[in-house]
Amino acid sequence: MKLAERYAAVLDLPVAVVRKARLSGTEVRADQVVGAVDGRAPVIVDDMISTGATITAAAAVLARAGAREPMMIAATQGVFSSAVTDALGRMPVDRLLVTDTLPNVRRRLPFAEVISVAEPLAVALH
C-alpha cells in the first residue's frame, strides 16, 4: 500500500486498493476494490511476483470494477516461478516492470522490462 501511494504521489494519480486474501502459496482471492477505477487503465503495484496469483486476481477484480485495458504491472522483485508465464499470458498486460534486485530476471521472463536499482542504491549508500 505504501509503495502504491508513493507511485501515485510521483505520478499525481489517485490510488485504488484491491482487497485480497491469500488462500495458499499459489491461490489468492481478490474480492473488492476500494477507490474509483471505472474507465481507467490501472497500474498494479506489488512487492514481488512469484506465481502471478496476486496480480491475476487483482486484474480480474479491477476488470469487474470497470478498469480498462491494458493494465501495467510494476513489482520490486521478479521471482517468476514457472506458473507466472501462463498467468501473465492470460492477462491484458501492456507492460511489466521489475527491478534487477534478483539475478537473471530477464532470462526467467524475457518480456519483462528490467529497471536497474544500482544508481539509487549507490546514492543511498553514499
Side-chain angles (χ1 to χ4, degrees), residues 1-2 4-5 14-22 28-37 42-46 53-67 71-73 91:
M1 175 74 179
K2 289 180 184 180
E5 287 174 336
V15 175
V17 177
V18 174
R19 196 174 135 226
K20 71 165 188 167
R22 180 163 293 284
V28 172
R29 182 183 71 227
D31 56 4
Q32 183 181 12
V33 176
V34 178
V37 298
V43 177
I44 301 171
V45 178
D46 206 351
T54 297
I55 57 173
T56 301
V61 76
L62 286 164
R64 286 193 303 272
M71 299 180 187
M72 180 188 296
I73 299 169
M91 293 178 59

CSV table of all heavy atoms in Angstrom, one decimal, residues 1-2 4-5 14-22 28-37 42-46 53-67 71-73 91:
chain,number,residue,atom,x,y,z
A,1,MET,N,0.8,-1.2,0.0
A,1,MET,CA,0.0,0.0,0.0
A,1,MET,C,0.9,1.3,0.0
A,1,MET,O,0.6,2.2,-0.8
A,1,MET,CB,-0.9,-0.1,1.2
A,1,MET,CG,-1.7,1.1,1.4
A,1,MET,SD,-3.1,1.2,0.2
A,1,MET,CE,-3.9,2.6,0.7
A,2,LYS,N,1.9,1.3,0.9
A,2,LYS,CA,2.8,2.4,0.9
A,2,LYS,C,3.5,2.7,-0.4
A,2,LYS,O,3.7,3.8,-0.8
A,2,LYS,CB,3.8,2.3,2.1
A,2,LYS,CG,3.1,2.4,3.4
A,2,LYS,CD,4.2,2.3,4.5
A,2,LYS,CE,3.5,2.3,5.9
A,2,LYS,NZ,4.5,2.1,7.0
A,4,ALA,N,2.5,1.8,-3.4
A,4,ALA,CA,1.5,2.3,-4.4
A,4,ALA,C,1.2,3.8,-4.1
A,4,ALA,O,1.1,4.5,-5.1
A,4,ALA,CB,0.2,1.5,-4.3
A,5,GLU,N,1.1,4.1,-2.9
A,5,GLU,CA,0.9,5.6,-2.6
A,5,GLU,C,2.1,6.4,-3.0
A,5,GLU,O,1.9,7.5,-3.5
A,5,GLU,CB,0.6,5.7,-1.1
A,5,GLU,CG,-0.7,5.2,-0.6
A,5,GLU,CD,-1.0,5.3,0.9
A,5,GLU,OE1,0.0,5.3,1.6
A,5,GLU,OE2,-2.1,5.3,1.3
A,14,PRO,N,-4.6,9.1,-8.6
A,14,PRO,CA,-5.3,8.5,-7.4
A,14,PRO,C,-4.8,7.1,-7.1
A,14,PRO,O,-4.3,6.4,-8.0
A,14,PRO,CB,-6.7,8.6,-7.8
A,14,PRO,CG,-6.7,8.6,-9.2
A,14,PRO,CD,-5.5,9.2,-9.7
A,15,VAL,N,-5.1,6.6,-5.9
A,15,VAL,CA,-4.8,5.2,-5.5
A,15,VAL,C,-6.1,4.5,-5.3
A,15,VAL,O,-7.1,5.0,-4.7
A,15,VAL,CB,-4.0,5.2,-4.2
A,15,VAL,CG1,-3.8,3.8,-3.7
A,15,VAL,CG2,-2.7,5.9,-4.4
A,16,ALA,N,-6.2,3.3,-5.8
A,16,ALA,CA,-7.2,2.3,-5.5
A,16,ALA,C,-6.6,1.1,-4.9
A,16,ALA,O,-5.4,0.8,-5.3
A,16,ALA,CB,-8.0,2.0,-6.8
A,17,VAL,N,-7.2,0.5,-4.0
A,17,VAL,CA,-6.7,-0.7,-3.3
A,17,VAL,C,-7.5,-1.9,-3.6
A,17,VAL,O,-8.7,-1.9,-3.5
A,17,VAL,CB,-6.6,-0.5,-1.8
A,17,VAL,CG1,-6.1,-1.7,-1.1
A,17,VAL,CG2,-5.7,0.8,-1.5
A,18,VAL,N,-6.9,-3.0,-3.9
A,18,VAL,CA,-7.5,-4.3,-4.1
A,18,VAL,C,-7.4,-5.1,-2.8
A,18,VAL,O,-6.3,-5.3,-2.4
A,18,VAL,CB,-6.9,-5.1,-5.3
A,18,VAL,CG1,-7.6,-6.5,-5.4
A,18,VAL,CG2,-7.1,-4.4,-6.6
A,19,ARG,N,-8.5,-5.4,-2.2
A,19,ARG,CA,-8.5,-6.2,-1.0
A,19,ARG,C,-8.4,-7.7,-1.4
A,19,ARG,O,-9.2,-8.2,-2.2
A,19,ARG,CB,-9.9,-6.0,-0.3
A,19,ARG,CG,-9.8,-6.5,1.2
A,19,ARG,CD,-11.0,-6.1,1.9
A,19,ARG,NE,-11.3,-7.3,2.7
A,19,ARG,CZ,-12.5,-7.8,2.8
A,19,ARG,NH1,-13.6,-7.2,2.2
A,19,ARG,NH2,-12.7,-8.9,3.5
A,20,LYS,N,-7.4,-8.4,-0.8
A,20,LYS,CA,-7.2,-9.8,-1.2
A,20,LYS,C,-7.0,-10.6,0.1
A,20,LYS,O,-6.7,-10.1,1.2
A,20,LYS,CB,-6.0,-9.9,-2.1
A,20,LYS,CG,-4.7,-9.6,-1.3
A,20,LYS,CD,-3.5,-10.1,-2.1
A,20,LYS,CE,-2.2,-9.9,-1.2
A,20,LYS,NZ,-1.1,-10.6,-1.7
A,21,ALA,N,-7.1,-11.9,-0.1
A,21,ALA,CA,-6.8,-12.9,0.9
A,21,ALA,C,-6.0,-14.0,0.3
A,21,ALA,O,-6.4,-14.5,-0.8
A,21,ALA,CB,-8.1,-13.4,1.5
A,22,ARG,N,-4.9,-14.3,0.9
A,22,ARG,CA,-4.1,-15.4,0.4
A,22,ARG,C,-4.7,-16.7,0.9
A,22,ARG,O,-4.7,-16.9,2.1
A,22,ARG,CB,-2.6,-15.2,0.8
A,22,ARG,CG,-1.8,-16.4,0.2
A,22,ARG,CD,-0.3,-16.0,0.3
A,22,ARG,NE,0.1,-15.0,-0.6
A,22,ARG,CZ,0.2,-15.1,-2.0
A,22,ARG,NH1,0.0,-16.2,-2.5
A,22,ARG,NH2,0.6,-14.1,-2.7
A,28,VAL,N,-4.9,-17.0,-4.5
A,28,VAL,CA,-5.3,-15.7,-3.9
A,28,VAL,C,-6.7,-15.4,-4.3
A,28,VAL,O,-7.1,-15.6,-5.5
A,28,VAL,CB,-4.4,-14.6,-4.4
A,28,VAL,CG1,-4.8,-13.2,-3.9
A,28,VAL,CG2,-2.9,-14.8,-3.9
A,29,ARG,N,-7.5,-14.8,-3.4
A,29,ARG,CA,-8.8,-14.4,-3.7
A,29,ARG,C,-8.9,-12.8,-3.5
A,29,ARG,O,-8.5,-12.3,-2.5
A,29,ARG,CB,-9.9,-15.0,-2.7
A,29,ARG,CG,-11.3,-14.6,-3.1
A,29,ARG,CD,-12.3,-15.1,-2.1
A,29,ARG,NE,-12.2,-14.4,-0.8
A,29,ARG,CZ,-12.1,-15.0,0.3
A,29,ARG,NH1,-12.2,-16.3,0.4
A,29,ARG,NH2,-12.0,-14.3,1.4
A,30,ALA,N,-9.2,-12.2,-4.6
A,30,ALA,CA,-9.4,-10.7,-4.5
A,30,ALA,C,-10.9,-10.5,-4.7
A,30,ALA,O,-11.5,-11.0,-5.6
A,30,ALA,CB,-8.6,-10.0,-5.6
A,31,ASP,N,-11.5,-9.7,-3.8
A,31,ASP,CA,-12.9,-9.6,-3.8
A,31,ASP,C,-13.5,-8.1,-3.8
A,31,ASP,O,-14.6,-7.9,-3.9
A,31,ASP,CB,-13.6,-10.4,-2.7
A,31,ASP,CG,-13.1,-10.0,-1.3
A,31,ASP,OD1,-12.3,-9.0,-1.2
A,31,ASP,OD2,-13.5,-10.6,-0.4
A,32,GLN,N,-12.6,-7.2,-3.6
A,32,GLN,CA,-13.1,-5.8,-3.5
A,32,GLN,C,-12.0,-4.8,-4.0
A,32,GLN,O,-10.9,-5.0,-3.7
A,32,GLN,CB,-13.4,-5.5,-2.1
A,32,GLN,CG,-14.0,-4.2,-1.8
A,32,GLN,CD,-14.4,-4.0,-0.3
A,32,GLN,OE1,-13.9,-4.7,0.5
A,32,GLN,NE2,-15.1,-2.9,0.0
A,33,VAL,N,-12.5,-3.7,-4.6
A,33,VAL,CA,-11.7,-2.6,-5.0
A,33,VAL,C,-12.2,-1.4,-4.2
A,33,VAL,O,-13.4,-1.1,-4.2
A,33,VAL,CB,-11.7,-2.3,-6.5
A,33,VAL,CG1,-10.9,-1.1,-6.8
A,33,VAL,CG2,-11.3,-3.5,-7.3
A,34,VAL,N,-11.3,-0.8,-3.5
A,34,VAL,CA,-11.6,0.5,-2.8
A,34,VAL,C,-11.0,1.6,-3.6
A,34,VAL,O,-9.7,1.7,-3.7
A,34,VAL,CB,-11.0,0.4,-1.3
A,34,VAL,CG1,-11.4,1.7,-0.6
A,34,VAL,CG2,-11.6,-0.8,-0.6
A,35,GLY,N,-11.8,2.4,-4.2
A,35,GLY,CA,-11.3,3.5,-5.0
A,35,GLY,C,-12.0,3.5,-6.4
A,35,GLY,O,-12.5,2.4,-6.8
A,36,ALA,N,-11.9,4.6,-7.1
A,36,ALA,CA,-12.5,4.7,-8.4
A,36,ALA,C,-11.6,4.2,-9.5
A,36,ALA,O,-10.5,4.7,-9.7
A,36,ALA,CB,-12.9,6.1,-8.7
A,37,VAL,N,-12.0,3.1,-10.2
A,37,VAL,CA,-11.1,2.6,-11.3
A,37,VAL,C,-11.9,2.6,-12.6
A,37,VAL,O,-11.3,2.3,-13.7
A,37,VAL,CB,-10.6,1.2,-11.0
A,37,VAL,CG1,-9.7,1.2,-9.8
A,37,VAL,CG2,-11.7,0.2,-10.8
A,42,PRO,N,-5.3,0.7,-15.0
A,42,PRO,CA,-4.6,0.7,-13.8
A,42,PRO,C,-3.1,0.3,-13.9
A,42,PRO,O,-2.7,-0.4,-14.8
A,42,PRO,CB,-5.4,-0.4,-13.0
A,42,PRO,CG,-5.9,-1.3,-14.0
A,42,PRO,CD,-6.2,-0.4,-15.2
A,43,VAL,N,-2.4,0.7,-12.9
A,43,VAL,CA,-1.0,0.2,-12.7
A,43,VAL,C,-1.1,-0.6,-11.4
A,43,VAL,O,-1.4,-0.1,-10.3
A,43,VAL,CB,0.0,1.4,-12.5
A,43,VAL,CG1,1.4,0.8,-12.2
A,43,VAL,CG2,0.0,2.3,-13.7
A,44,ILE,N,-0.9,-1.9,-11.6
A,44,ILE,CA,-0.9,-2.8,-10.4
A,44,ILE,C,0.5,-2.9,-9.8
A,44,ILE,O,1.5,-3.2,-10.5
A,44,ILE,CB,-1.3,-4.3,-10.9
A,44,ILE,CG1,-2.7,-4.2,-11.5
A,44,ILE,CG2,-1.3,-5.2,-9.7
A,44,ILE,CD1,-3.1,-5.5,-12.2
A,45,VAL,N,0.6,-2.5,-8.6
A,45,VAL,CA,1.9,-2.4,-7.9
A,45,VAL,C,2.0,-3.5,-6.8
A,45,VAL,O,1.1,-3.7,-6.0
A,45,VAL,CB,2.1,-1.0,-7.2
A,45,VAL,CG1,3.4,-1.0,-6.4
A,45,VAL,CG2,2.0,0.1,-8.2
A,46,ASP,N,3.1,-4.3,-6.9
A,46,ASP,CA,3.3,-5.3,-5.9
A,46,ASP,C,4.7,-5.4,-5.5
A,46,ASP,O,5.6,-5.0,-6.3
A,46,ASP,CB,2.8,-6.7,-6.4
A,46,ASP,CG,2.4,-7.7,-5.4
A,46,ASP,OD1,2.6,-7.4,-4.2
A,46,ASP,OD2,1.8,-8.7,-5.7
A,53,ALA,N,-0.3,-15.2,-8.9
A,53,ALA,CA,-1.6,-15.3,-8.4
A,53,ALA,C,-2.2,-14.0,-7.9
A,53,ALA,O,-3.4,-13.7,-8.2
A,53,ALA,CB,-1.6,-16.4,-7.2
A,54,THR,N,-1.4,-13.2,-7.2
A,54,THR,CA,-1.9,-11.9,-6.7
A,54,THR,C,-2.3,-11.0,-7.8
A,54,THR,O,-3.4,-10.4,-7.8
A,54,THR,CB,-0.9,-11.3,-5.8
A,54,THR,OG1,-0.7,-12.1,-4.6
A,54,THR,CG2,-1.4,-9.9,-5.3
A,55,ILE,N,-1.4,-10.8,-8.8
A,55,ILE,CA,-1.7,-9.9,-9.9
A,55,ILE,C,-2.8,-10.4,-10.8
A,55,ILE,O,-3.6,-9.6,-11.3
A,55,ILE,CB,-0.4,-9.5,-10.7
A,55,ILE,CG1,0.2,-10.8,-11.3
A,55,ILE,CG2,0.5,-8.7,-9.9
A,55,ILE,CD1,1.4,-10.5,-12.2
A,56,THR,N,-2.9,-11.7,-11.0
A,56,THR,CA,-4.0,-12.2,-11.8
A,56,THR,C,-5.4,-11.9,-11.1
A,56,THR,O,-6.3,-11.5,-11.7
A,56,THR,CB,-3.9,-13.7,-12.0
A,56,THR,OG1,-2.6,-14.0,-12.7
A,56,THR,CG2,-5.0,-14.3,-12.8
A,57,ALA,N,-5.4,-12.2,-9.8
A,57,ALA,CA,-6.6,-11.9,-9.0
A,57,ALA,C,-7.0,-10.4,-9.0
A,57,ALA,O,-8.1,-10.0,-9.1
A,57,ALA,CB,-6.5,-12.5,-7.6
A,58,ALA,N,-5.9,-9.6,-8.8
A,58,ALA,CA,-6.1,-8.2,-8.8
A,58,ALA,C,-6.7,-7.7,-10.2
A,58,ALA,O,-7.6,-6.9,-10.2
A,58,ALA,CB,-4.8,-7.4,-8.5
A,59,ALA,N,-6.1,-8.2,-11.2
A,59,ALA,CA,-6.5,-7.8,-12.6
A,59,ALA,C,-8.0,-8.1,-12.8
A,59,ALA,O,-8.8,-7.4,-13.4
A,59,ALA,CB,-5.6,-8.4,-13.6
A,60,ALA,N,-8.4,-9.3,-12.4
A,60,ALA,CA,-9.8,-9.8,-12.5
A,60,ALA,C,-10.8,-8.9,-11.8
A,60,ALA,O,-11.8,-8.5,-12.3
A,60,ALA,CB,-9.9,-11.2,-12.1
A,61,VAL,N,-10.5,-8.6,-10.5
A,61,VAL,CA,-11.4,-7.7,-9.8
A,61,VAL,C,-11.4,-6.3,-10.3
A,61,VAL,O,-12.4,-5.6,-10.3
A,61,VAL,CB,-11.1,-7.8,-8.2
A,61,VAL,CG1,-9.9,-7.0,-7.8
A,61,VAL,CG2,-12.3,-7.4,-7.4
A,62,LEU,N,-10.3,-5.8,-10.8
A,62,LEU,CA,-10.2,-4.5,-11.4
A,62,LEU,C,-11.1,-4.4,-12.6
A,62,LEU,O,-11.8,-3.5,-12.9
A,62,LEU,CB,-8.8,-4.1,-11.7
A,62,LEU,CG,-7.9,-3.7,-10.5
A,62,LEU,CD1,-6.4,-3.7,-10.8
A,62,LEU,CD2,-8.4,-2.3,-9.9
A,63,ALA,N,-11.0,-5.5,-13.5
A,63,ALA,CA,-11.8,-5.5,-14.7
A,63,ALA,C,-13.3,-5.5,-14.3
A,63,ALA,O,-14.1,-4.8,-15.0
A,63,ALA,CB,-11.4,-6.8,-15.5
A,64,ARG,N,-13.7,-6.3,-13.3
A,64,ARG,CA,-15.1,-6.3,-12.9
A,64,ARG,C,-15.5,-5.0,-12.4
A,64,ARG,O,-16.7,-4.6,-12.4
A,64,ARG,CB,-15.3,-7.4,-11.8
A,64,ARG,CG,-15.3,-8.8,-12.4
A,64,ARG,CD,-15.8,-9.9,-11.4
A,64,ARG,NE,-15.1,-9.9,-10.1
A,64,ARG,CZ,-14.0,-10.6,-9.8
A,64,ARG,NH1,-13.5,-11.4,-10.8
A,64,ARG,NH2,-13.5,-10.6,-8.6
A,65,ALA,N,-14.6,-4.2,-11.8
A,65,ALA,CA,-14.9,-2.9,-11.3
A,65,ALA,C,-14.9,-1.8,-12.4
A,65,ALA,O,-15.1,-0.6,-12.1
A,65,ALA,CB,-14.0,-2.5,-10.2
A,66,GLY,N,-14.7,-2.2,-13.6
A,66,GLY,CA,-14.7,-1.3,-14.7
A,66,GLY,C,-13.4,-0.7,-15.2
A,66,GLY,O,-13.4,0.2,-16.1
A,67,ALA,N,-12.3,-1.2,-14.7
A,67,ALA,CA,-11.0,-0.7,-15.2
A,67,ALA,C,-10.8,-1.1,-16.6
A,67,ALA,O,-11.4,-2.1,-17.1
A,67,ALA,CB,-9.9,-1.3,-14.4
A,71,MET,N,-3.5,-3.1,-18.8
A,71,MET,CA,-3.0,-2.8,-17.5
A,71,MET,C,-1.5,-2.8,-17.5
A,71,MET,O,-0.9,-3.5,-18.3
A,71,MET,CB,-3.6,-3.9,-16.5
A,71,MET,CG,-5.1,-3.9,-16.4
A,71,MET,SD,-5.7,-5.1,-15.3
A,71,MET,CE,-7.4,-5.0,-15.6
A,72,MET,N,-0.9,-2.1,-16.5
A,72,MET,CA,0.6,-2.2,-16.3
A,72,MET,C,0.8,-2.8,-15.0
A,72,MET,O,0.1,-2.6,-14.0
A,72,MET,CB,1.1,-0.8,-16.4
A,72,MET,CG,2.7,-0.7,-16.2
A,72,MET,SD,3.4,0.9,-16.0
A,72,MET,CE,3.0,1.6,-17.6
A,73,ILE,N,1.9,-3.5,-14.9
A,73,ILE,CA,2.3,-4.1,-13.6
A,73,ILE,C,3.7,-3.6,-13.3
A,73,ILE,O,4.6,-3.6,-14.1
A,73,ILE,CB,2.3,-5.7,-13.7
A,73,ILE,CG1,0.9,-6.2,-14.0
A,73,ILE,CG2,2.8,-6.3,-12.4
A,73,ILE,CD1,0.9,-7.6,-14.4
A,91,MET,N,-3.5,-12.4,-19.1
A,91,MET,CA,-3.8,-11.1,-18.7
A,91,MET,C,-3.7,-10.0,-19.7
A,91,MET,O,-2.8,-10.1,-20.6
A,91,MET,CB,-3.0,-10.7,-17.5
A,91,MET,CG,-3.2,-11.5,-16.2
A,91,MET,SD,-2.1,-11.0,-14.9
A,91,MET,CE,-2.6,-9.3,-14.7
